[in-house]
Amino acid sequence: MIDFEKASVFKLAPCKPEDIAGQVSPILIQGEQIVSCFKTVRDFVVFTNKRVIAVNVQGMTGRKKDFTSLPYSRVQAFSIETAGTFDMDAELDLWFSGLGKVRLEFRGHADVRLLGQMIATFVL
């Protein structure tokens, strides 16, 4: 799902934490909580108070999943681009130390400013 060579882009829409909590709770550490989550058709991205978890659902049945953990402690820089009049999508770029850039693209109704504030809280 995340390709550090090509800075992959996803079209993400907000989803309810309870819709995906059962799939990510087994990999959360003690004290880690889901703050926000976004979903494509099958894949999803979870923002916790410790990291970003990108989940790539694979195969025909969707039982196989690839979990990519991106800790906030490795974020060197980030940028947000809000939705506009003609371009209704918003974007979040994260640069991870030793890994590269990850771009997440959100549908227009996602508030990336809140994501930016949250990430700043954990990174700065």
Side-chain angles (χ1 to χ4, degrees):
M1 179 153 121
I2 292 182
D3 183 353
F4 294 102
E5 302 287 319
K6 298 178 183 169
S8 298
V9 176
F10 315 96
K11 292 266 190 179
L12 297 162
C15 68
K16 296 176 185 173
E18 54 269 17
D19 292 345
I20 53 89
Q23 298 179 66
V24 258
S25 59
I27 66 166
L28 299 181
I29 63 171
Q30 186 175 7
E32 187 173 15
Q33 299 173 336
I34 296 173
V35 177
S36 188
C37 53
F38 299 85
K39 189 172 171 110
T40 64
V41 174
R42 291 172 39 137
D43 302 334
F44 55 94
V45 175
V46 178
F47 292 86
T48 75
N49 58 329
K50 306 275 185 197
R51 59 187 161 166
V52 178
I53 302 170
V55 182
N56 180 8
V57 180
Q58 301 174 352
M60 296 289 285
T61 64
R63 292 187 67 191
K64 183 176 179 180
K65 294 173 182 65
D66 173 57
F67 295 85
T68 301
S69 178
L70 303 162
Y72 295 126
S73 63
R74 304 285 290 180
V75 174
Q76 290 185 314
F78 67 94
S79 82
I80 59 171
E81 181 179 308
T82 60
T85 304
F86 298 108
D87 181 7
M88 295 303 295
D89 294 330
E91 296 172 358
L92 169 65
D93 290 332
L94 298 160
W95 284 268
F96 288 91
S97 173
L99 298 174
K101 179 174 118 176
V102 173
R103 171 172 283 172
L104 303 172
E105 190 171 313
F106 301 87
R107 302 206 183 276
H109 56 279
D111 191 351
V112 294
R113 286 178 278 210
L114 286 176
L115 280 177
Q117 287 177 337
M118 178 193 68
I119 292 167
T121 300
F122 296 130
V123 171
L124 301 178

